[in-house]
Amino acid sequence: MASREETVSKLRGTPEGLASVEDVQAMLAADPKLKCVVCYARISFDGRAKDAHGVEDQHREMADTARRFGWLVVYRYTDNDKSASKEEVIREDFEQLLRDLAAGHTPEGYPIHGVMAVNDDRLYRRPGDWERYLRAFTSQEGRVYHDSNGLQDLYAEGFEIKGLLGVAMSLAETRKKQRRARNSHRNRALRGKSVSAWRPFGWEDDKITLRPREAEAVRKAVRDIIAGASIFEIIRQWQDAEFRTSRGNYFQHQTAKQLLTNPRLCGYRAIKGEIVRDGDDEPVIGEWEPIITPEEWFAVTATLRSRHPEAGIPRGKLVHKYLLTGILRCGNTLPDGSICNNKMVGTKANSWLTYEHVYVCKKTPNGGCWGTSKRGDKTDRHVQDLVIAKLEAQAATRAEAIPDWENEEALTTATQSRKELERHWQEGRINDETFFRNLPAIEERIKKLQAEQAEHLAKKAAAQAIGPDIARTFYSKTLRQRRELIQSALHAVIAVSGGKGNKPFNVELLTPVWRSSE
């Protein structure tokens, strides 16, 4: 089966089997009534199949009509999956059609005596396009035009106005359909109905029931992101597990990020980035089963946003190969009595050693003193054990230490104020000027409080995400997640040299600098 690109390519240009330009010129000389016509096909949405069947059907219909009239199709123009009502959309084949009409012939030299389309709105939907098309079409006399209304005389007096009226009606109908679609979409959202065009990843085909294996993968990914994992690590895990999007593609960074920040995961709906709320400003709960809690959704969204406001990529952070690179600092005393304090880096150990990596202070040209080196595996194990013990001691009280949000009552009051203002306006007790003068300040207050509420829920969920069973799960986490946990517990680890020679590993030479409880 041909791909969409192959199908569209075959529907462009000179039809297969057409006689040469010279032979066509001879045919025209023998039969002056013969018309050489071009066909234009366009569709705004190629459908889920993405197989170009829409434009293919249009060209088939026009070819049948041309045969009935005895016309010769000498060129085909095709704009697939492109809107004619949006100014920002460029229709390359429509633009070429206008150039060829003005020139009087196709790029190969076939004369153009007429144009065919299954309907006039395939050609134009905006006044500017209609005027440009009419000007190019009538640049030469005697051309024919055929669409669903039959043969049309574009040269007739008053046809330009008739065409503009048709465009205006078409635009009005398009906007009416768009408005109905938006209203229907929002009304379904307010009723908590699922409006996904495709099966959302994590749910069955009914878009309501969870698909267990996918849902668990999403649940784990959300918790891993909160705990410090990157989207790229999640993508690698999903690729290893052979997970695909609902359209059958492997996950990319953007598709994974969109999935993990979609409020659908916790049962909420959003339209254009805004959570859909009911009359009491409470999020509308959908009819589908949620995968995670609202607190977890707020937390994962806040986590990704904090890494980079647009791309969700950690700002300025490198992907480290060794656990404690940059966390270990050299505690060597320099000749002037000061402490080196340079960040130590991990590096591959010499081949004759029994361990794989070491941490060293950088050489003097790079700002270090080259005076401290630590065995990598035992240093990693000791620091991780210290951090696990510290986190376990904090885990039981950390979530409880975050008090309830103190502005809950203020949000309720602001919401009630807006409802009262609207009620007074609707009852005619205040005029339009008073209503719209006071409304923005109240709405801004509500928006600010809702943002604070979301931030508080995110902090609560992030605190709970550490979990009580840290020792069991710590070593199963990714390198980046473990680094995040270590850095959440301490500022640095000061490493002091044990002296020259092959000395036993001494944990007393490693001093952690813990973060305060705040």
Side-chain angles (χ1 to χ4, degrees), residues 57-290:
D57 292 344
Q58 290 179 38
H59 278 297
R60 185 184 303 110
E61 181 181 338
M62 288 184 286
D64 292 341
T65 303
R67 277 193 293 270
R68 290 201 307 271
F69 280 96
W71 296 343
L72 185 64
V73 176
V74 296
Y75 206 85
R76 295 179 296 187
Y77 303 88
T78 304
D79 283 315
N80 187 53
D81 215 12
K82 291 191 175 182
S83 169
S85 58
K86 298 178 180 178
E87 292 187 21
E88 67 272 14
V89 175
I90 298 175
R91 295 182 288 149
E92 289 85 358
D93 274 31
F94 176 73
E95 297 298 328
Q96 184 187 339
L97 169 63
L98 298 186
R99 292 193 296 270
D100 293 348
L101 283 172
H105 56 78
T106 70
E108 289 77 12
Y110 293 97
I112 302 176
H113 301 142
V115 178
M116 298 184 69
V118 295
N119 206 316
D120 58 357
D121 65 0
R122 298 302 91 196
L123 278 163
Y124 45 80
R125 276 183 173 270
R126 295 186 294 124
D129 287 343
W130 157 246
E131 292 171 356
R132 291 196 301 138
Y133 170 69
L134 184 62
R135 189 183 311 118
F137 184 93
T138 57
S139 63
Q140 296 190 17
E141 296 293 331
R143 283 173 171 165
V144 295
Y145 171 67
H146 186 278
D147 61 19
S148 59
N149 294 314
L151 281 170
Q152 303 287 315
D153 184 3
L154 272 60
Y155 301 91
E157 186 177 351
F159 198 88
E160 183 174 358
I161 301 301
K162 180 182 177 182
L164 284 173
L165 289 173
V167 170
M169 293 175 63
S170 177
L171 273 176
E173 184 61 27
T174 298
R175 288 167 181 164
K176 188 189 298 182
K177 288 179 180 178
Q178 291 172 342
R179 186 165 57 252
R180 284 201 299 262
R182 286 195 301 268
N183 290 340
S184 173
H185 188 79
R186 182 163 185 83
N187 289 334
R188 285 175 61 83
L190 288 170
R191 294 197 303 271
K193 297 291 184 180
S194 176
V195 295
S196 302
W198 298 82
R199 177 188 74 83
F201 185 83
W203 284 268
E204 297 290 354
D205 291 334
D206 61 7
K207 305 172 188 175
I208 296 175
T209 309
L210 294 181
R211 182 169 288 190
R213 185 165 174 263
E214 291 182 358
E216 183 54 38
V218 172
R219 195 175 292 118
K220 180 179 182 299
V222 166
R223 292 169 181 170
D224 285 348
I225 290 288
I226 296 171
S230 70
I231 289 181
F232 296 107
E233 290 175 318
I234 301 301
I235 291 173
R236 282 198 297 270
Q237 293 173 6
W238 286 359
Q239 287 177 344
D240 292 342
E242 290 295 319
F243 283 128
R244 307 283 185 97
T245 68
S246 300
R247 301 189 185 191
N249 303 314
Y250 280 113
F251 280 95
Q252 302 297 322
H253 184 278
Q254 188 61 25
T255 52
K257 182 194 171 190
Q258 288 173 347
L259 188 156
L260 294 170
T261 56
N262 190 339
R264 174 182 242 277
L265 297 182
C266 69
Y268 291 171
R269 277 295 320 277
I271 297 179
K272 294 183 178 181
E274 293 288 334
I275 293 178
V276 178
R277 297 177 181 271
D278 58 21
D280 295 322
D281 260 352
E282 292 297 323
V284 174
I285 305 300
E287 62 181 348
W288 55 88
E289 295 182 53

Side-chain angles (χ1 to χ4, degrees), residues 257 297-298 300-310 312 315:
K257 182 194 171 190
W297 178 76
F298 281 117
V300 72
T301 303
T303 300
L304 291 175
R305 188 179 296 122
S306 68
R307 294 177 182 177
H308 195 286
E310 294 180 357
R315 192 164 30 206

Side-chain angles (χ1 to χ4, degrees), residues 295 299 398-404 454-465:
E295 289 80 9
R398 186 169 180 179
E400 289 74 5
I402 299 178
D404 292 337
E455 184 180 358
H456 181 270
L457 288 172
K459 287 181 179 179
K460 194 85 170 176
Q464 294 169 341

Side-chain angles (χ1 to χ4, degrees), residues 372-405:
T372 303
S373 174
K374 292 296 174 185
R375 174 172 175 164
D377 57 345
K378 291 190 175 182
T379 302
D380 288 347
R381 172 64 69 172
H382 175 65
V383 172
Q384 287 177 114
D385 287 346
L386 289 176
V387 169
I388 289 171
K390 181 75 171 181
L391 293 177
E392 282 181 333
Q394 294 175 345
T397 59
R398 186 169 180 179
E400 289 74 5
I402 299 178
D404 292 337
W405 187 50

Side-chain angles (χ1 to χ4, degrees), residues 425-476:
W425 176 56
Q426 291 168 0
E427 293 175 353
R429 297 167 63 182
I430 59 174
N431 58 29
D432 292 352
E433 196 277 334
T434 302
F435 174 71
F436 286 106
R437 187 180 67 247
N438 289 279
L439 183 62
I442 298 177
E443 289 187 329
E444 182 63 27
R445 171 73 171 157
I446 292 173
K447 187 175 181 180
K448 181 179 179 181
L449 288 169
Q450 286 174 343
E452 289 180 6
Q453 183 186 45
E455 184 180 358
H456 181 270
L457 288 172
K459 287 181 179 179
K460 194 85 170 176
Q464 294 169 341
I466 294 180
D469 196 7
I470 295 170
R472 184 179 63 83
T473 61
F474 189 91
Y475 290 104
S476 65

